[in-house]
Amino acid sequence: MKRLLLFILPILLIVAVGFTIFGIMQIRFTEERLMDDLQKKARAVDESIEFSARNILLNNDLKSANRLVESFQKRERLQGCVIYDKDGNILAITERISGWKDKEKSYLAEVSVNKASRGSLEKFGDSSVYSYILPVMDDEKNILGMVEVIYDTSYVFTTLTSLWRRLSILLITLLVLIVLIMLLIQRQIFILPVLRLTEWFQRFQKGDTGSLQPIKEKGELGKLACEVEQVALNLRVARKVVTERAVERFEKEELWTQEKLKDLVRARLGDNSLFVVSNREPYMHQVDENTGATNCIRPASGVVTAVDPVMRACGGTWIAHGAGNADKKFVNSKDKLGVPPRDINYILRRVWLSKEEEAGYYYGFSNEGLWPLCHLTHTRPVFRESDWKMYKTVNQKFADAVLEELPHKPAFVFIQDYHFTLLPRMIKEKRPDVTVALFWHIPWPTPESFSTCPYQNEILEGMLACDLIGFHVQSHCNNFLDTANRLLESRVDTERFSVVQSGKETFIRAFPISVDGSFDAKGENADQSAVQRVKDEYDLNSKIVALGVDRIDYTKGIPEKMLAVERFLEKYPHYKRKFVLLQLGAPSRTHIKRYHELVGEIDELVERINWKYKDDIWKPIIYLKRHFSLDEIKPFYALADICIVSSLHDGMNLVAKEYISSRIDLTGTLMLSRFTGASRELSDAILINPYSIEEFADLIQTAVNMPIEEKKKRMEIMRKIVSENNIYRWAGNIITELTSLRKA
Ligand code: ADQ
């Protein structure tokens, strides 16, 4: 629009100025012509009555004088006539201009002395008149008197005003016409070809290459179009070559790596076909309230930890809620940006939510309803009708965003978690050709528990629009199958492990999620100087350090961990000054009352236990309540003798796997809650029941005293499990399953 104005405005300006100058000249010319006409007419009239006036003045015939002036009374436009004697006294005057008598007429003396006629514009009341005065002389050129003719000039101004009006209308019509013609020309010359080129490129982007016609533009735009077409062709060829090589490499490699996953995706899906949807975004732009600086942070979220490496390997588009307070500054006009910021591998599309939407859908229905419903932690789920409505609205908003992104060719939509149970159906209704999978990152409850949810049918039906639903462990799959069997009119196929509802089959599979092993990538562990810095900062040298790394969530059993440490020090007091629990806690969902209370509860516990045991140089719990970056967490994992994961209920728990993958030297002990999904795979950890504080305290003592050889043996087994079953294998298995479903 700005550019269009820049183009049209100068032309309009030139036309308007030119036309105005022409108009002014036209008006002046007309005015001069009319006044000239008036003068000629007045003179002619004056001269025509000169003879009669002469006789009247010679004979002092007042009767004839009155007759003569009254003959002007009937004339149109002409105002009247006045006869003066030689001294300028009025002898006769037309009735309708009798007011003229009172006017000061200094020009009479001038006419009488000069004996020459005179014409001028004069004021008469509120209007202006034209006066033409003629001296009347005898044969000896002696002045006898004067005859004055008065003309109304208002018609001159009326004529000029109407001329102005006509010229202005003409100017406006001309300007409108110019704008219309310009718009038409610019649409034909610029917009249409650009639109054609854009549409061509969009179709290419969406993978609609088969039916694309060559671009046929001429001139400079044609050259650009040619270049675009060339780049597109090169890209197509390059993609094909990459895909073929990927198939070869994929078949050779054994262990799952980033490269192997990349090859699998290229071989099975092709480029730009993977679309991930989650609530939490992998990169968030946040303004630091203290420094005012904008930081790009990776949120503390298991989903992000797991899925980001997959997307880095595969490329594609990740659609998520733009929750950072500076997020809007970093997106393009389509709300997208390339991430990770310094090494772009995939596209992040941010979806904006209003405060009301976030409150109802995220804090309300998802985290006060579904989250406690699925976790056995004795926190009562709250289901509000208003939250449910907002949950549906936001699911639709995400569905619209996904549908906008999807290419015309078949694609894979990989939905994350309990925030989007209705999304699969919304997508499938519009795009049945797209393969949709949902991964449920938290436990699935028993049918009895799930049946307390007032919206159970809509949720299950929404989910069963998927082609595949994944859970961490088999027991969650079993619970889901049981739930579908009991609560819905559906058929559960125990052979194929699927649910068939209204003719649509959904496969249910366990895919234990994992980490990418970036904690020991290329054999590097945390920078030793960073480790030493942390030890010095928190006075950890020569101490036994037990580490906790958690989002502050009531499912993570943080208070239980602290109570167990308290009991441990009570039972084994000789560990005072020797043992420290270092707890990192990322505040989360703090707008929810239960979470807010939990923060206070943990603060109080830390305060109480530290007060009970601390002395001048030591306190048993160091609690660091903030978000840490990946690089900041690494030294903590590296220095911890023990890592304690004490969740009351947890889908998997990635902290346990992060700790294992960081222990390159095979030292360290993992204490892991029996109620985590991870405990099914990591049975060589010290398994704990966080509800049993007594047993928990004793097991801390066991961990502290475990012989080095046993620690190493256990760590070796667990490291093998984590490195073989890494996140690339998780994603690889899901993609393999999905592609085989597509073929079926
Ligand atoms: P979460 O409940 O978020 O995930 P988890 O799997 O433990 O739990 O992952 C937490 C992630 O946050 C880890 O990567 C950890 O390093 C990070 N983190 C923790 N504290 C942090 C802090 N203070 N600062 C920065 N980062 C921090 C959900 C389910 C889990 C499941 C995952 C993945 O609840 O059961 O394992 O999804 O499916």
Side-chain angles (χ1 to χ4, degrees):
M1 191 63 194
K2 238 184 186 172
R3 240 180 259 170
L4 188 65
L5 279 180
L6 274 178
F7 178 57
I8 295 181
L9 268 183
I11 298 176
L12 292 185
L13 213 70
I14 292 171
V15 172
V17 169
F19 199 87
T20 309
I21 293 172
F22 166 78
I24 290 170
M25 283 166 62
Q26 185 70 18
I27 298 275
R28 287 253 168 93
F29 172 73
T30 311
E31 188 181 4
E32 274 168 22
R33 192 172 50 74
L34 287 173
M35 291 310 290
D36 200 41
D37 269 6
L38 205 59
Q39 193 175 10
K40 278 184 189 148
K41 262 190 222 161
R43 186 188 300 151
V45 171
D46 239 355
E47 284 170 4
S48 73
I49 61 171
E50 186 186 4
F51 180 71
S52 318
R54 196 171 167 201
N55 286 335
I56 289 170
L57 286 167
L58 276 173
N59 304 321
N60 203 16
D61 181 356
L62 285 180
K63 226 172 169 188
S64 301
N66 280 329
R67 234 188 348 264
L68 179 67
V69 293
E70 278 318 309
S71 68
F72 283 83
Q73 182 79 14
K74 293 171 210 122
R75 297 194 193 178
E76 190 201 337
R77 223 189 276 152
L78 192 70
Q79 288 263 328
C81 170
V82 192
I83 302 174
Y84 301 92
D85 64 14
K86 66 175 185 313
D87 300 321
N89 298 317
I90 294 176
L91 294 180
I93 185 164
T94 310
E95 179 66 31
R96 70 173 163 202
I97 58 159
S98 55
W100 190 251
K101 280 183 201 161
D102 308 328
K103 182 173 164 59
E104 169 75 35
K105 301 175 209 73
S106 51
Y107 54 85
L108 290 178
E110 184 193 322
V111 172
S112 161
V113 173
N114 295 342
K115 293 179 184 167
S117 59
R118 175 185 179 278
S120 68
L121 280 174
E122 296 294 334
K123 273 251 158 241
F124 183 30
D126 290 339
S127 51
S128 111
V129 292
Y130 185 76
S131 135
Y132 190 84
I133 185 156
L134 186 78
V136 181
M137 285 173 286
D138 59 14
D139 295 339
E140 281 81 39
K141 302 282 179 212
N142 292 320
I143 192 125
L144 294 173
M146 287 160 280
V147 184
E148 185 177 24
V149 176
I150 308 286
Y151 265 90
D152 174 14
T153 57
S154 63
Y155 84 97
V156 173
F157 298 106
T158 321
T159 311
L160 291 180
T161 314
S162 99
L163 183 63
W164 254 126
R165 196 173 307 125
R166 268 181 283 135
L167 285 173
S168 309
I169 292 173
L170 197 66
L171 175 64
I172 291 170
T173 316
L174 199 68
L175 293 181
V176 171
L177 264 174
I178 291 175
V179 170
L180 288 177
I181 292 170
M182 289 306 220
L183 285 177
L184 213 73
I185 292 177
Q186 106 123 10
R187 187 173 161 73
Q188 282 301 323
I189 299 182
F190 303 112
I191 298 185
L192 284 181
V194 171
L195 280 180
R196 279 198 294 271
L197 201 62
T198 312
E199 193 206 354
W200 190 95
F201 216 64
Q202 272 171 349
R203 286 179 64 192
F204 174 80
Q205 281 273 79
K206 295 213 163 197
D208 193 2
T209 46
S211 59
L212 277 183
Q213 300 294 322
I215 311 170
K216 285 183 200 137
E217 293 300 338
K218 293 196 179 102
E220 293 307 311
L221 211 67
K223 286 183 197 160
L224 173 67
C226 243
E227 293 300 319
V228 168
E229 211 171 19
Q230 206 49 43
V231 171
L233 182 69
N234 290 345
L235 247 159
R236 234 185 295 170
V237 172
R239 277 181 193 167
K240 190 160 181 291
V241 173
V242 166
T243 307
E244 283 166 2
R245 292 206 186 125
V247 176
E248 279 169 31
R249 271 203 311 267
F250 176 71
E251 279 160 5
K252 272 189 223 151
E253 274 186 62
E254 298 227 323
L255 198 75
W256 277 93
T257 59
Q258 191 175 24
E259 280 309 313
K260 180 164 168 154
L261 179 63
K262 213 180 268 184
D263 289 343
L264 172 81
V265 170
R266 279 179 191 150
R268 301 270 170 93
L269 306 186
D271 278 337
N272 304 324
S273 304
L274 183 60
F275 294 82
V276 162
V277 189
S278 75
N279 170 71
R280 183 63 63 225
E281 56 182 335
Y283 297 91
M284 190 186 235
H285 287 96
Q286 201 72 22
V287 174
D288 186 320
E289 282 169 11
N290 301 322
T291 61
T294 305
N295 300 318
C296 181
I297 60 166
R298 196 190 76 145
S301 147
V303 175
V304 169
T305 303
V307 185
D308 177 56
V310 175
M311 288 301 278
R312 286 182 191 225
C314 305
T317 304
W318 186 330
I319 298 152
H321 171 208
N325 58 17
D327 272 355
K328 285 198 175 154
K329 285 193 205 155
F330 292 85
V331 293
N332 66 13
S333 59
K334 305 240 171 184
D335 299 326
K336 294 186 200 175
L337 70 158
V339 289
R342 275 184 224 102
D343 177 24
I344 292 175
N345 288 131
Y346 64 95
I347 293 165
L348 170 61
R349 155 94 193 255
R350 285 174 171 157
V351 175
W352 313 116
L353 298 182
S354 66
K355 272 219 155 46
E356 294 72 40
E357 285 172 334
E358 197 181 1
Y361 137 84
Y362 178 72
Y363 290 108
F365 194 76
S366 299
N367 287 315
E368 284 191 280
L370 291 179
W371 177 268
L373 177 74
C374 294
H375 288 93
L376 290 174
T377 56
H378 313 288
T379 298
R380 192 168 179 257
V382 180
F383 294 111
R384 299 179 199 94
E385 183 63 19
S386 55
D387 290 347
W388 168 243
K389 281 192 183 136
M390 212 43 110
Y391 182 83
K392 285 202 271 193
T393 307
V394 172
N395 268 247
Q396 189 58 58
K397 201 171 200 177
F398 271 82
D400 295 343
V402 174
L403 291 166
E404 206 178 292
E405 293 301 324
L406 285 177
H408 297 306
K409 61 180 182 176
F412 290 85
V413 180
F414 188 18
I415 301 167
Q416 310 302 314
D417 241 356
Y418 57 100
H419 310 90
F420 298 116
T421 57
L422 309 178
L423 190 56
R425 165 168 274 206
M426 291 169 174
I427 294 173
K428 279 280 192 177
E429 270 168 4
K430 294 271 162 45
R431 289 291 305 268
D433 61 311
V434 164
T435 310
V436 179
L438 169 75
F439 192 83
W440 195 262
H441 289 261
I442 60 178
W444 186 272
T446 59
E448 291 74 24
S449 292
F450 189 75
S451 67
T452 58
C453 174
Y455 315 103
Q456 50 192 283
N457 282 15
E458 277 157 283
I459 288 179
L460 288 172
E461 281 163 7
M463 291 173 74
L464 287 171
C466 282
D467 300 290
L468 177 72
I469 301 176
F471 295 95
H472 289 302
V473 293
Q474 194 55 46
S475 66
H476 300 159
C477 295
N478 297 349
N479 280 352
F480 183 82
L481 287 174
D482 260 4
T483 308
N485 196 24
R486 289 211 224 156
L487 306 184
L488 273 190
E489 276 194 28
S490 60
R491 183 168 59 81
V492 170
D493 188 329
T494 42
E495 290 281 300
R496 290 162 63 88
F497 241 78
S498 66
V499 182
V500 182
Q501 207 219 4
S502 318
K504 159 96 187 114
E505 185 168 25
T506 305
F507 291 88
I508 313 299
R509 298 279 184 275
F511 301 101
I513 208 163
S514 193
V515 291
D516 68 337
S518 64
F519 290 89
D520 70 344
K522 300 182 203 97
E524 307 159 7
N525 202 330
D527 170 5
Q528 280 313 307
S529 60
V531 174
Q532 194 51 53
R533 250 198 324 274
V534 173
K535 278 189 176 175
D536 293 343
E537 185 176 351
Y538 299 106
D539 195 15
L540 302 174
N541 292 299
S542 70
K543 302 253 164 48
I544 301 163
V545 179
L547 176 73
V549 180
D550 300 280
R551 265 191 317 105
I552 302 180
D553 193 299
Y554 54 81
T555 60
K556 302 293 179 188
I558 303 170
E560 285 73 7
K561 196 184 314 185
M562 290 174 175
L563 291 172
V565 166
E566 180 186 27
R567 184 73 187 121
F568 164 69
L569 291 171
E570 228 164 50
K571 286 180 92 170
Y572 309 99
H574 53 281
Y575 285 110
K576 282 183 197 166
R577 286 192 170 194
K578 292 187 188 137
F579 177 92
V580 169
L581 170 66
L582 183 56
Q583 176 67 49
L584 313 188
S588 89
R589 306 172 194 170
T590 39
H591 299 308
I592 298 174
K593 193 165 165 257
R594 179 69 184 90
Y595 284 79
H596 189 73
E597 286 168 358
L598 177 69
V599 172
E601 191 188 327
I602 296 172
D603 286 347
E604 267 176 39
L605 260 179
V606 173
E607 172 72 26
R608 185 178 65 71
I609 298 170
N610 277 344
W611 182 81
K612 185 169 165 186
Y613 290 112
K614 76 171 177 188
D615 56 27
D616 296 343
I617 54 166
W618 169 82
K619 60 180 179 182
I621 302 177
I622 298 172
Y623 178 36
L624 306 177
K625 188 171 52 177
R626 70 172 174 89
H627 179 272
F628 289 80
S629 71
L630 196 63
D631 282 339
E632 282 177 313
I633 293 184
K634 280 182 187 177
F636 287 98
Y637 279 138
L639 65 80
D641 301 290
I642 305 167
C643 176
I644 309 181
V645 174
S646 53
S647 309
L648 304 182
H649 200 190
D650 215 334
M652 174 56 69
N653 193 287
L654 293 181
V655 170
K657 293 190 174 180
E658 283 172 354
Y659 179 65
I660 299 285
S661 81
S662 74
R663 307 308 296 195
I664 301 168
D665 57 2
L666 305 182
T667 59
T669 306
L670 173 67
M671 296 185 72
L672 182 61
S673 161
R674 295 176 184 281
F675 310 123
T676 59
S679 67
R680 316 282 163 111
E681 291 169 88
L682 305 175
S683 49
D684 277 280
I686 297 182
L687 297 180
I688 52 171
N689 171 3
Y691 289 98
S692 169
I693 301 297
E694 200 65 24
E695 182 198 76
F696 195 166
D698 286 340
L699 288 173
I700 294 178
Q701 201 261 356
T702 309
V704 169
N705 290 303
M706 187 177 277
I708 292 176
E709 276 319 303
E710 188 176 348
K711 276 190 200 173
K712 279 196 170 172
K713 206 172 81 198
R714 288 180 182 231
M715 191 54 83
E716 200 165 15
I717 297 170
M718 289 193 287
R719 278 181 62 78
K720 190 164 183 290
I721 292 170
V722 173
S723 66
E724 281 176 3
N725 299 288
N726 57 19
I727 192 64
Y728 305 113
R729 184 187 193 109
W730 174 80
N733 285 345
I734 293 176
I735 289 167
T736 310
E737 191 78 38
L738 276 173
T739 45
S740 62
L741 291 179
R742 190 170 58 165
K743 281 184 202 142

